[in-house]
Amino acid sequence: MTASTAEPASKVELPASVGGGGEIPTFDVTLRVRRYNPEVSDESHWDEFKLTMYGTDRVLDALHKVKWELDGSLSFRRSCAHGVCGSDAMRINGRNRLACKTLLKDLDTSKPITVEPIKGLPVEKDLIVDMEPFFQSYREIMPFLVAKGHAPTKERLQSPEDRERFDDTTKCILCAACTSSCPVFWTDGQYFGPAAIVNAHRFIFDSRDDAGDMRLEILNDKEGVWRCRTIFNCSEACPRGIQVTKAISEVKQAVLARQF
Amino acid sequence: MSTTPDIRFPRSTSETGRVSPKYTRHGSGAKGGFEMAAWLFMRLSGIVLVVLIFGHLFVNLMLGNGVHAIDFGFVAGKWASPFWQWWDLAMLWLAMLHGTNGVRTIINDYADRDTVRFWLLIVLFAAAAAIVILGTLVIFTFNPCPTVNGVPLPGSFCPKP
């Protein structure tokens, strides 16, 4: 064996002109955040923060920068920060999105970027809303498997076609971006909301579940699927790309099919 | 084979829950049979109305002399036939119920105070009922050649006494 071992083929030679990781372009943004602190005032107000951010930064990074370096009293929810936990849904430039999935460079940085709490749910502080009414509707549709008879000793098998039937609605992360984008929900908060119906759809069309009829009965409520006006705000707001309005209309048809 | 167990909703009916009462569905347990019927009616009446309205427009505006033929006599002639009486009756009822139901849903969506919603709906239903009843009366009691105080009113198309 002779001496020099070759470098692994995967090593990338960087030209001298590129300095490495720090060379991401920066730009200035103005963040307009709707602030609300019930211990200080019953009125909400707008705060503006001027920040220098990087091309790889998301709105969540800007909020972190404000909270960690400028104003520690700014309150918002976030957990995983990678678009899976569904904690940081907020209204950014008038649209419901996840702060952790919205890159600053994709927004119009020449104007202030507005960040507000999602609409239709009671604001607790700054960007934090009370999610309990949202979860109440979610619980009402029984978001768990209900199967007849004895539990099998092994897993409940399902064909790929049967699994495909409800695949889209399994993606929900319960961030409430859809429900809080729905004008019908804004009115009085009585409507079950798209998220509850999506999660009912997930079980109604699951061949292993036997409580589809009960869920359809629950959603055949005065405030159930029939309050959907096919506005499509929910489908546009969903950060997981679920075809929410389509799922709701499938539930509508299932309720109808049950009657006739 | 057992049936599906009756499972209570975990928290929705709890009275001590911390959910703001604004969000608790009042009239919970009220089933949406009417809402479902209304939803279905909107779709079915919409399809029928397309046929009725375009048929109406074609017969009135395109056939024969078209729009220039429309006058009192034209309408009187149409309503002399039971076919057009029932056509117009169907159009009146379906269009009024379809439109009233549409405005009802708009009121339900946008009026957030219960009393405002109640009174807007009362006004809407009263107006719709008045128009439907008057329209139905006109279609079936229409007489183009009435006799007032023993004197027949002039009308070129009326039979001479």
Side-chain angles (χ1 to χ4, degrees):
Chain A
M1 286 285 279
T2 44
S4 70
T5 7
E7 289 286 349
S10 62
K11 189 183 175 193
V12 178
E13 292 291 343
L14 288 177
S17 59
V18 174
E23 291 291 294
I24 301 158
T26 64
F27 48 83
D28 291 333
V29 292
T30 309
L31 206 60
R32 279 190 93 213
V33 186
R34 197 178 184 96
R35 305 294 302 271
Y36 170 70
N37 184 352
E39 290 174 353
V40 175
S41 163
D42 285 340
E43 296 290 315
S44 64
H45 66 278
W46 293 94
D47 267 357
E48 292 207 357
F49 302 97
K50 294 216 184 327
L51 308 162
T52 302
M53 302 302 297
Y54 293 98
T56 49
D57 280 338
R58 306 151 299 168
V59 173
L60 182 65
D61 296 305
L63 290 170
H64 277 153
K65 202 176 172 74
V66 171
K67 184 169 179 69
W68 294 340
E69 296 172 20
L70 298 173
D71 183 350
S73 69
L74 177 68
S75 305
F76 55 91
R77 279 198 189 99
R78 74 102 172 80
S79 298
C80 77
H82 289 81
V84 176
C85 71
S87 302
D88 65 349
M90 45 191 80
R91 208 167 142 86
I92 298 163
N93 279 355
R95 270 183 53 196
N96 282 4
R97 337 181 201 211
L98 297 182
C100 58
K101 279 182 85 168
T102 309
L103 287 169
L104 288 167
K105 72 173 178 64
D106 294 341
L107 301 170
D108 181 3
T109 48
S110 64
K111 285 187 282 185
I113 294 165
T114 61
V115 181
E116 305 162 75
I118 46 177
K119 281 178 77 171
L121 292 163
V123 181
E124 294 190 326
K125 190 184 176 192
D126 294 346
L127 302 173
I128 296 178
V129 297
D130 180 7
M131 297 279 281
E132 206 50 35
F134 171 80
F135 287 123
Q136 173 179 262
S137 294
Y138 173 61
R139 285 185 205 103
E140 274 179 60
I141 56 94
M142 304 189 297
F144 39 79
L145 183 85
V146 181
K148 285 189 216 168
H150 298 293
T153 51
K154 49 185 183 133
E155 66 268 46
R156 300 169 195 271
L157 291 179
Q158 184 170 47
S159 71
E161 293 74 36
D162 283 350
R163 177 62 177 71
E164 181 61 32
R165 182 68 192 84
F166 60 94
D167 185 67
D168 200 36
T169 45
T170 61
K171 299 175 192 159
C172 179
I173 55 173
L174 293 169
C175 65
C178 56
T179 295
S180 63
S181 74
C182 176
V184 176
F185 184 77
W186 293 341
T187 307
D188 52 9
Q190 295 285 304
Y191 177 38
F192 270 83
I197 300 171
V198 157
N199 284 281
H201 179 283
R202 184 248 170 275
F203 285 100
I204 289 166
F205 292 97
D206 186 338
S207 61
R208 297 164 298 186
D209 189 271
D210 293 314
D213 263 358
M214 288 170 78
R215 296 196 183 88
L216 292 174
E217 190 61 39
I218 291 165
L219 289 177
N220 186 16
D221 186 278
K222 188 162 82 66
E223 306 294 344
V225 283
W226 308 117
R227 280 208 86 177
C228 169
R229 314 280 181 239
T230 58
I231 297 162
F232 279 88
N233 274 15
C234 49
S235 298
E236 275 177 34
C238 180
R240 308 302 310 272
I242 300 172
Q243 301 286 312
V244 183
T245 312
K246 183 171 171 237
I248 297 175
S249 62
E250 285 175 0
V251 174
K252 278 179 191 165
Q253 286 168 22
V255 176
L256 274 180
R258 205 170 135 263
Q259 304 286 325
F260 302 108
Chain B
M1 189 141 158
S2 65
T3 52
T4 313
D6 183 25
I7 295 169
R8 271 176 50 85
F9 314 134
R11 250 206 276 180
S12 58
T13 51
S14 143
E15 282 163 19
T16 53
R18 60 185 195 91
V19 179
S20 155
K22 173 178 179 284
Y23 294 91
T24 312
R25 267 178 275 286
H26 28 74
S28 95
K31 281 301 130 196
F34 176 74
E35 292 297 327
M36 184 184 71
W39 184 89
L40 200 58
F41 173 78
M42 288 306 264
R43 269 115 200 111
L44 297 179
S45 64
I47 296 168
V48 177
L49 276 170
V50 166
V51 176
L52 289 176
I53 290 172
F54 281 101
H56 171 85
L57 289 176
F58 178 74
V59 169
N60 282 19
L61 305 181
M62 316 281 285
L63 281 189
N65 284 334
V67 67
H68 304 291
I70 296 183
D71 56 8
F72 187 83
F74 179 86
V75 178
K78 266 181 94 180
W79 278 351
S81 139
F83 175 79
W84 287 112
Q85 279 186 328
W86 285 100
W87 183 291
D88 283 5
L89 184 80
M91 206 158 63
L92 170 75
W93 276 70
L94 289 178
M96 280 310 294
L97 292 178
H98 187 97
T100 304
N101 190 41
V103 178
R104 181 186 73 91
T105 58
I106 292 173
I107 291 172
N108 281 343
D109 283 355
Y110 287 93
D112 50 1
R113 292 225 310 277
D114 281 348
T115 45
V116 174
R117 181 180 299 180
F118 175 80
W119 285 109
L120 283 176
L121 287 176
I122 292 289
V123 170
L124 172 71
F125 293 150
I131 292 169
V132 166
I133 291 169
L134 283 179
T136 307
L137 268 177
V138 167
I139 289 173
F140 285 112
T141 62
F142 183 67
N143 179 3
C145 306
T147 308
V148 177
N149 295 333
V151 184
L153 289 187
S156 55
F157 45 85
C158 290
K160 292 282 171 264

